[in-house]
Amino acid sequence: MGDSYVTTGAVMTCTFGLAPSSLVVLPARTKMLCNVPRANIMDYAPMVNIMPFGMCNTPSNPTVASATAAAMGVLTPMPCIPAITAPWMPGNPQCLIQGQPALTRNSQCMCMWGGVVRFTTDGQMPGVPPIITPDVSVDVTIVPPLTPAEKQQLEPWQQQQYDEEMKTAQFAGSGDLDTAEDLDRMATKYEASGDTAKAAKAREASQAYRESAAKKKSEAIDKVNNKYRNGGKEPEAAPQKTYTKEELKNIQQESDKEFLKQNDKVKELDGKILENDQKADKQQKQLDQANEKVNEAATPYKEAYDEHVKAEKKRKEAEEALEMRKGFEESAKKNGASKESLAVERQLRKQAEADAAKAIAEEETARAKMKKAETKYNNATQEREKIAGELSQTIDEGNQMVADQKEARKKRDESVCRAAAASTALKAQEKKEQHDKAVASHEEAKKDTRAKGQKAAELRTEEQGYRDNADKNFSASVDAREAGMDEYVDMYVSETVRYDQKAKAVHGDRVKAEEDYQASKATLHEAYENAYSDEARFDSYIANMDYQKSIENIDKYSE
């Protein structure tokens, strides 16, 4: 299927948005199509080119997750604020609009919350022939086939079998492709009728089925290649995850319980974190006060220390002066100094001893003062370190609480998503079962209609046979009367009456059988509509897609 270039006004849908939106191309664009600006892949700016899609309904959006959690797990859509972070892809690089690839209808972009934004119309004016660009298929990584060298290692019959199985693998997923094409046809019909929501849903489902088909084809080819690379032995297939209704209900109930448990834990931690913050604030104030006390004690301690250093220096100088006077006195004695000189030296020595004693006393006083200031400073420092340690411990405990709360929020949000997935899977499973019942009812109605039609045909044949026999006997009685064979007239008349009575006896049953047959045909038509109409198939396709996605989400949020 080809595609067309996109202009301003093109209708877009988001897989998680509840309403369509329109592309806005700024009027400054110089390239026009149908008298309106043409778009390129860089026209993706949120709230400039891409406007909101009504309400967002994905739990991956934090606002939706919060609202859902506040609603006790009931999915609660919130206003859409597009969060597009990358250009449209793929565009058409063979046609540039102001230096960038032209935007085409098959292009899409991603919202950071997981929504896929696609076009449902190209925005071109009606009646203008679309400009066709090549179709872009789903990207699939196909495992390379066996090389000639690898094939030569196989037996001839294995080589032939490999080729046959590879041909079969090429058609894997063809059923999903048929479904995708059927959904595209439905989407076109819905677009023509103005039902853009259903059209968007059909386009989204079509893409999902195409991706599923591509995946099945890739897996089938991969399986064949791995089989013959493994000497022809079938590789072990991973078991396909399925859930019964009872299992889905249990998952939903357990997820709801887990939500309540984690939500209570989040609330409990909210209170503890608040208490911890208050405790930390109080300890911070105590630490500030302790710092002030340390600063207050530091000044006297420094002054006392400086005084002690001075006193110690003074004491050393006094002791040195005393030793010097003692030396002078001893020298005077040895040299035979006069009594007057010796008396002077003795007097100077005594004065030096007095000065030294005084310096020692002053040093002791300064040391005692310093020790007292030091003790006060150390006590203040120890108190500060104690409070700082307690504050650090409180902060660490608070950080752990915040981490625990973050983990609890994560588990709570995962339980919401898991419960929502289980609920969606249950609803999808119910729709699938309803469709299966409708198909079975159609088969029963078809059998019943065939049986009633056959019965009506048999009674019609029987009645017609009796009437034909009555007509034959009546004709024979007329011929006998005209031939003067009166002895046979009564016999033919009697047979005519007998067959006529038999026909009348069957007639009522035949009429009733034909009425039953017509009623059964009406029932069959209704059963066909319930099972195979576009609406029925659309619901079945969507249910299958929703079920598969839900199962994937259950596994994803259970990891």
Side-chain angles (χ1 to χ4, degrees):
M1 182 178 65
D3 209 14
S4 53
Y5 291 128
V6 170
T7 67
T8 189
V11 177
M12 304 172 293
T13 61
C14 174
T15 51
F16 293 126
L18 299 183
S21 180
S22 295
L23 180 71
V24 176
V25 180
L26 298 180
R29 183 62 45 80
T30 56
K31 293 290 184 73
M32 311 291 282
L33 180 63
C34 307
N35 297 320
V36 290
R38 290 176 63 177
N40 64 33
I41 62 169
M42 301 306 294
D43 293 324
Y44 70 95
M47 310 305 290
V48 176
N49 306 117
I50 299 178
M51 298 301 169
F53 298 89
M55 305 290 281
C56 179
N57 68 348
T58 174
S60 59
N61 185 331
T63 59
V64 177
S66 299
T68 299
M72 304 300 288
V74 178
L75 184 61
T76 305
M78 294 296 287
C80 165
I81 300 177
I84 313 299
T85 58
W88 295 92
M89 292 296 289
N92 183 5
Q94 296 179 348
C95 177
L96 300 182
I97 306 294
Q98 292 183 227
Q100 296 293 339
L103 187 58
T104 55
R105 181 169 163 174
N106 69 336
S107 300
Q108 60 185 36
C109 59
M110 291 286 294
C111 174
M112 68 183 297
W113 310 128
V116 180
V117 180
R118 300 188 181 94
F119 291 104
T120 58
T121 69
D122 54 22
Q124 296 182 25
M125 296 295 289
V128 178
I131 301 175
I132 305 300
T133 59
D135 183 26
V136 178
S137 59
V138 179
D139 287 335
V140 181
T141 303
I142 302 294
V143 176
L146 297 184
T147 64
E150 288 175 321
K151 286 188 71 174
Q152 286 178 0
Q153 294 177 4
L154 302 174
E155 296 293 334
W157 64 270
Q158 286 182 315
Q159 295 180 20
Q160 183 179 359
Q161 190 170 331
Y162 168 78
D163 291 336
E164 291 174 355
E165 290 184 15
M166 187 58 75
K167 287 179 182 177
T168 303
Q170 297 290 336
F171 292 98
S174 57
D176 284 350
L177 282 177
D178 292 341
T179 299
E181 290 179 2
D182 200 16
L183 282 163
D184 284 335
R185 180 189 59 79
M186 293 179 188
T188 302
K189 184 183 79 171
Y190 292 140
E191 287 168 355
S193 65
D195 194 343
T196 55
K198 266 196 174 181
K201 193 70 174 176
R203 296 285 184 199
E204 176 194 351
S206 171
Q207 181 65 17
Y209 276 104
R210 289 184 189 281
E211 291 171 359
S212 174
K215 183 179 178 182
K216 287 179 180 178
K217 180 178 178 180
S218 176
E219 289 175 349
I221 293 174
D222 193 9
K223 182 179 178 182
V224 175
N225 285 327
N226 287 337
K227 174 182 176 181
Y228 288 94
R229 283 196 174 101
N230 196 28
K233 295 177 70 175
E234 285 280 354
E236 290 187 11
Q240 189 173 5
K241 194 77 172 182
T242 56
Y243 294 95
T244 63
K245 270 188 175 181
E246 196 61 34
E247 288 173 332
L248 289 172
K249 288 178 182 176
N250 288 337
I251 290 172
Q252 188 174 6
Q253 291 171 358
E254 289 171 3
S255 299
D256 288 339
K257 289 179 183 177
E258 181 68 13
F259 167 80
L260 294 174
K261 174 184 173 183
Q262 297 300 332
N263 197 50
D264 289 342
K265 189 173 182 179
V266 168
K267 290 180 180 178
E268 180 185 354
L269 287 168
D270 274 338
K272 289 184 177 180
I273 289 171
L274 179 61
E275 291 177 2
N276 188 270
D277 288 344
Q278 292 172 345
K279 183 179 177 181
D281 288 342
K282 183 178 179 181
Q283 289 173 336
Q284 184 62 54
K285 289 178 181 177
Q286 291 174 345
L287 181 62
D288 292 341
Q289 293 172 354
N291 281 326
E292 290 178 3
K293 288 182 179 180
V294 169
N295 292 333
E296 289 173 0
T299 301
Y301 174 54
K302 185 178 184 304
E303 291 174 352
Y305 176 82
D306 291 342
E307 288 179 10
H308 174 261
V309 170
K310 289 179 181 178
E312 185 181 29
K313 181 180 179 182
K314 185 176 179 182
R315 187 260 305 166
K316 287 179 179 179
E317 289 175 351
E319 287 178 344
E320 288 174 355
L322 175 61
E323 289 299 319
M324 184 178 67
R325 296 317 314 174
K326 286 181 178 179
F328 286 160
E329 185 179 3
E330 288 296 325
S331 178
K333 285 181 180 180
K334 288 179 180 181
N335 294 326
S338 63
K339 290 183 179 180
E340 290 79 4
S341 296
L342 289 174
V344 171
E345 290 297 331
R346 190 181 303 115
Q347 185 64 32
L348 290 173
R349 175 179 58 78
K350 287 182 179 179
Q351 182 62 43
E353 287 176 347
D355 292 342
K358 182 180 178 183
I360 291 171
E362 289 177 351
E363 182 187 12
E364 289 298 324
T365 302
R367 180 182 290 109
K369 185 178 179 181
M370 182 189 71
K371 288 291 183 182
K372 184 178 180 181
E374 182 182 16
T375 300
K376 188 175 181 180
Y377 174 77
N378 288 339
N379 289 340
T381 302
Q382 290 174 1
E383 181 65 18
R384 181 185 64 182
E385 290 175 353
K386 177 186 174 184
I387 295 172
E390 292 173 350
L391 176 59
S392 177
Q393 183 178 353
T394 301
I395 291 173
D396 290 342
E397 290 172 354
N399 290 336
Q400 185 59 50
M401 289 178 192
V402 170
D404 292 343
Q405 188 186 55
K406 182 179 179 181
E407 183 64 21
R409 288 182 186 277
K410 179 184 175 185
K411 290 181 178 179
R412 182 188 66 180
D413 294 343
E414 286 177 348
S415 66
V416 170
C417 296
R418 193 163 55 248
S423 175
T424 302
L426 273 171
K427 292 177 182 176
Q429 199 170 50
E430 288 173 359
K431 285 187 177 181
K432 287 168 64 179
E433 289 176 356
Q434 289 173 2
H435 185 256
D436 291 342
K437 286 180 181 178
V439 171
S441 296
H442 174 261
E443 290 300 316
E444 288 297 321
K446 190 161 62 173
K447 291 178 183 178
D448 183 60
T449 302
R450 188 181 295 115
K452 287 181 177 178
Q454 186 175 353
K455 181 180 179 181
E458 290 172 353
L459 288 172
R460 189 162 51 248
T461 301
E462 183 179 0
E463 180 186 4
Q464 190 61 45
Y466 290 145
R467 293 199 181 280
D468 289 344
N469 284 333
D471 290 342
K472 288 178 182 178
N473 281 284
F474 180 75
S475 297
S477 69
V478 172
D479 292 342
R481 189 184 300 279
E482 290 177 352
M485 300 169 66
D486 295 339
E487 67 273 19
Y488 294 106
V489 171
D490 290 339
M491 180 188 70
Y492 287 129
V493 169
S494 175
E495 284 298 302
T496 300
V497 171
R498 186 171 70 86
Y499 280 115
D500 188 55
Q501 288 174 345
K502 284 187 174 185
K504 288 179 180 179
V506 173
H507 177 75
D509 293 339
R510 192 265 299 169
V511 171
K512 178 67 168 60
E514 288 187 342
E515 289 174 351
D516 289 345
Y517 175 57
Q518 294 301 322
S520 180
K521 285 173 67 177
T523 302
L524 175 62
H525 177 73
E526 182 180 353
Y528 177 85
E529 288 295 315
N530 291 336
Y532 298 109
S533 66
D534 280 354
E535 293 300 318
R537 293 202 313 284
F538 176 81
D539 289 341
S540 175
Y541 296 154
I542 299 302
N544 281 324
M545 180 186 68
D546 288 345
Y547 182 79
Q548 292 302 324
K549 285 185 176 179
S550 298
I551 296 302
E552 290 173 4
N553 284 334
I554 288 174
D555 294 341
K556 174 183 176 182
Y557 293 112
S558 297
E559 294 175 354

